[in-house]
Amino acid sequence: MGLIHIETFATLDLIGQAPGGPDEDPEGFPFGGWQAPLMDELTGAQIAASYQGTDALLLGRRTYDIFAAYWPHQQGGADNSIATLFNSVPKYVASRGSADLSWNGSTQLGPDLAGAVREIRERHECVKVVGSLDLVQTLFREQLFDRLDLWVHPIVLGVGKKVFGDGAIPTNLRLLEQPEAAPTGTVLLRYGRAEGTPATGDMTVDHATG
């Protein structure tokens, strides 16, 4: 069985809406493209390296449409390695409507999204989920993810869709490696899903016994 690997970008208040551009997810959100001023060479190299081993993409409809309009035209350019990967691997699209699947290797998933994702996991070694915030909520709710790369950026927006929405359920995670910080202050937190659910405890110290 392969891995479902979520790659997501967030502010300090965990807003994950429209990091890439103002037209990405504009409804009721005035800060589209907030990630761009915080990008640097180190962060770009880290993001590119995070796709190593990816053999399929799982995308929500909005992210798929953006990628399909962009990546087929980027081979030979500055982002050639990612373009080559994205254009060559299978793309699975979660959409309730009819999607334009003209991007080579694209397949629309059926109404049983959880069942379809489980089947995809059986067919691939590493399925990467990029952006696709609504889809990510379903994966969190169904516990259908194995790894989470959370890129936390040093800004607070106060409005927008959150990475962990109302559908998130109590989940344990384990840190897979030491956090990495870029000069801009962006921090990469790389987690794996752990067994069980969060425990509770009492931080009160008994001063009589020390």
Side-chain angles (χ1 to χ4, degrees), residues 28-53:
F29 186 66
F31 297 112
W34 54 262
Q35 184 188 28
L38 298 168
M39 289 292 292
D40 57 23
E41 289 186 8
L42 177 59
T43 304
Q46 288 175 322
I47 292 173
S50 73
Y51 291 106
Q52 185 174 358

Side-chain angles (χ1 to χ4, degrees), residues 68-172:
Y70 180 80
W71 288 110
H73 311 291
Q74 302 308 309
Q75 288 198 235
D79 296 321
N80 180 65
S81 60
I82 295 181
T84 299
L85 173 67
F86 282 9
N87 289 323
S88 62
V89 300
K91 276 77 67 175
Y92 299 98
V93 189
S95 175
R96 295 185 180 91
S98 298
D100 178 1
L101 302 176
S102 56
W103 193 10
N104 183 53
S106 299
T107 302
Q108 184 171 344
L109 302 180
D112 180 9
L113 181 59
V117 172
R118 291 186 180 96
E119 291 180 5
I120 292 168
R121 187 195 243 164
E122 294 293 336
R123 291 200 295 270
H124 297 282
E125 293 295 322
C126 181
V127 181
K128 184 74 89 170
V129 183
V130 188
S132 309
L133 204 54
D134 291 338
L135 168 62
V136 165
Q137 303 311 307
T138 300
L139 299 179
F140 285 154
R141 184 172 59 250
E142 298 289 339
Q143 296 286 277
L144 280 173
F145 73 100
D146 303 285
R147 294 184 182 174
L148 171 64
D149 281 5
L150 180 61
W151 301 81
V152 181
H153 299 71
I155 55 172
V156 174
L157 298 181
V159 296
K161 298 176 183 176
K162 289 186 175 290
V163 171
F164 300 99
D166 294 338
I169 65 174
T171 305
N172 284 329

Side-chain angles (χ1 to χ4, degrees), residues 180-201:
E180 298 182 61
T184 59
T186 297
V187 178
L188 168 59
L189 300 170
R190 182 162 284 162
Y191 293 106
R193 191 165 66 86
E195 296 298 323
T197 56
T200 60

Side-chain angles (χ1 to χ4, degrees), residues 6 47 55:
I6 296 173
I47 292 173
D55 62 347

